[in-house]
Amino acid sequence: MFISLFLVSFLVLKAPVKASAIASKSTYLYLCAASYGEAASNCTGGTACTGVESVCAIGQACFAVPLDACVESDVRTNATDTNVFDAEIMPSIAPTAAPNGTLELPAVFPTAPPGQPRLLYVCGANYTDADMNVCVNTGCPSGDGCDVGLTCFAVPFVVCGATTAMATGGTTVASVSGTMVSSMTDSTSAMLEDSATGPEYLLRRMVDSVLAFRDHIERLYTFRCDPGTLAECTKGNYDDCSSVYRNQRCLDSLGSNACGSNCKVLVDETQTAVRIPTKLADSNGNPTDPHVIESVCYSRLAERYMIDNFKQGRQMYFGSFAGSFRIIPARHSETCGDFDPRYRPWFTAASSGPKDVVIVIDVSASMDDYNRMELAKEAASTVVKTLSAADKFALITFSESAVQTLGEGTLMQAENENKDMAIEVINNITVDRKLTNFYAAFEKAFDTIEAEYSTGCNVAILFLTDGKITTGPGKNETIALVNQRIHNLETNSNQTTTIFTYSLGLKADHNLMKRLACETKGIWTQVDDSTDDLITAMSSYYKLYALGLGQGGNEDWVAWVEPYQFYTGGRNGTSVSAPVYDRSVTPPLFLGAVAVDMLMDDYELALGAEASSSFLLEKLVRNSTSRCPKIELNECELEAFQKNIGRDSMCNVCNDTAIASVTPNVCSNQGDLPSDVWSNTEMKGTNFTKRACCEVGQDVPSSTCSATVLSDSTTDSTKLSSKEVIGICLGVTVPVVLIICVMCVRGRNKTCQHASTDARTDTESVKVDPMIHRMSSSINESVSVIAPPGMTPSAPPLNPSYSSTLEAEYEDAA
């Protein structure tokens, strides 16, 4: 023991001083970094900011990092044994002891250089609370002044919109974007009841929430290759079909038709679950693609953040560009392996923005060969399903002439009713065994777009054929028509049009399809009858927009989807989503999309009245189409996208050296990737009723539920006896009575729903690895932030806590 202490003391004294701290449980280092996460991950090599001579570089701030957070994050990188703390870390840090173990601040804080991001100092119960509620929580410019139980946190600067201003005086926190409403003053409640400001405030809060989630995932992405991240990922996740959740419960609020009328579904509100499509996994359900494995592992670091937000009533989830999906709360899926987030409206809306989409399908005779028509119909249906209510769409079929198969010469809004109608029409398409006229097909497509019912945003024409021109104007005339109509849309409507051409099978005119794409700055994909996936090819068109959406002019892009019924709880709501990028490269690389759910109940609370789904839909569409994304890819960026499809798709206008990658690189330490990411697979091969159906109050599946469902599904109904006739009569009458009763009970209990959820979440015990907790917050909760001279905390405009500097700060921010 004495020898160990001597060695530690000797190494500490010999080491160079990197930062001032204290050797006690309240130990801090002061380091320059662009973010708290960067500072905490580079404690032994970061620039110290302990004196006037230690000025942080432009784009950096001085962060107070708890020593224990530094130690764990660095030790896990440099060694597997955390007992090497003294030998591995202490020599590099040389902390200075403070009397009585109190926080010893540097004598002089550095002055923030011009252009350095400003911070806001806001009180909160934790960092997430301060960050999410920066516009409403009490400010703490001097580093203190927070109520008992609250801490002063430094959070990124934001500009609060005029409609988000809370009434002055006594406001602490108002959490209205979920199932909880707390700590509202009378003036706050009055504001929420004001239909002119309440709903706007709530929608703004939802946007702030999803953008904060986006920022968090983007920060965690930088840790994706860290050996510690990958090591902790081994057996560190829960599958949506095969895992038993550690804190699963049977709640009365979550049911499923598959469990029958008397049973509910197990759910764990203290952890996340992961879904991976079967085609991306091995026989044990483990992901096989490196991108998928990495996304599972770095998104795991967000679990603490997601848990904290779910406690505030926010169901949230992240879908990666590679196909993995993480969601809170954890619950079992009814069908396994068929969920792919990349084909969901919230995902494509976030990654492409509002747009006009016209699907053009060849129905000439040859489309009957090799099951091509069925493939085309399935692909077209998939594209339609991915559209959001902010999009407009049309379906054109052609042979000798072209016909718009749905609508009356205009685009249709992609709301659910119209999409369902379109899919029914698509399923009934048949070939007509006539000749092929490309010119007529494109002419009809552009006529439809120009019929004054457009989004006014980007235009995508998806053109599918398996043949060649056999009637009508020829190749040159067709290409000239397309270019002229593209020019007309750009000149008259300021719309950018992209032609996506798909040539199916060996007999298609690949040269013309490629010419059409290359001469119009579009994308061509060749799809083989036997090996290639037409569904994936056609439904991936949004990826081009995702590449451009990360560039300048599209900052803080979000998208809303049409209100729908949530599986969790069966209540109606909507989702707001945002794209996620690796912004360390140019162009920024698309990583996926995050989303946060909002209940209709909360919107009605903010509105002060009941609101129909159509009313909210109209509001969300206006919000989603208030600006159009700017997609301005240069020729080499466009060719990089073509190269990602295949070299045959390239237009060869750039040298290979000028073509950057459009997909993220995999980690170089591939040997560190986990081969088994699941905590357990105890339910593998078990059907949904046996692994998820339960009785309220229990924490395990119920055999009674399974037996009930099985009995119901195997009833013989081949003939009707007199008793069965009576049973049918009762079966019609009783449900009607029950429905009336349920409606009455729901009306009586509606106001209790928020309170019951609040009570439930406040008493939950969450077991989460402490390392994940540290990496999930940008400021450790124990840090009491003091404002350094020359870097005076700036105020979020219209936060009443900073009313004395409101006008000056708002002008400065603008």
Side-chain angles (χ1 to χ4, degrees), residues 255-264 688-689 693-694 705 708-709 712:
S256 168
N257 291 334
C259 293
S261 58
N262 297 321
C263 295
K264 302 298 180 181
F688 177 75
T689 58
C693 296
C694 57
C705 295
T708 301
V709 173
D712 291 344

Side-chain angles (χ1 to χ4, degrees), residues 356-385:
D356 297 337
V357 177
V358 180
I359 304 169
V360 185
I361 300 178
D362 183 352
V363 294
S364 59
S366 57
M367 285 293 288
D368 241 355
D369 299 339
Y370 303 103
N371 201 39
R372 290 172 186 163
M373 180 52 70
E374 294 307 310
L375 291 175
K377 288 156 64 172
E378 189 173 356
S381 295
T382 302
V383 171
V384 170
K385 291 175 183 177

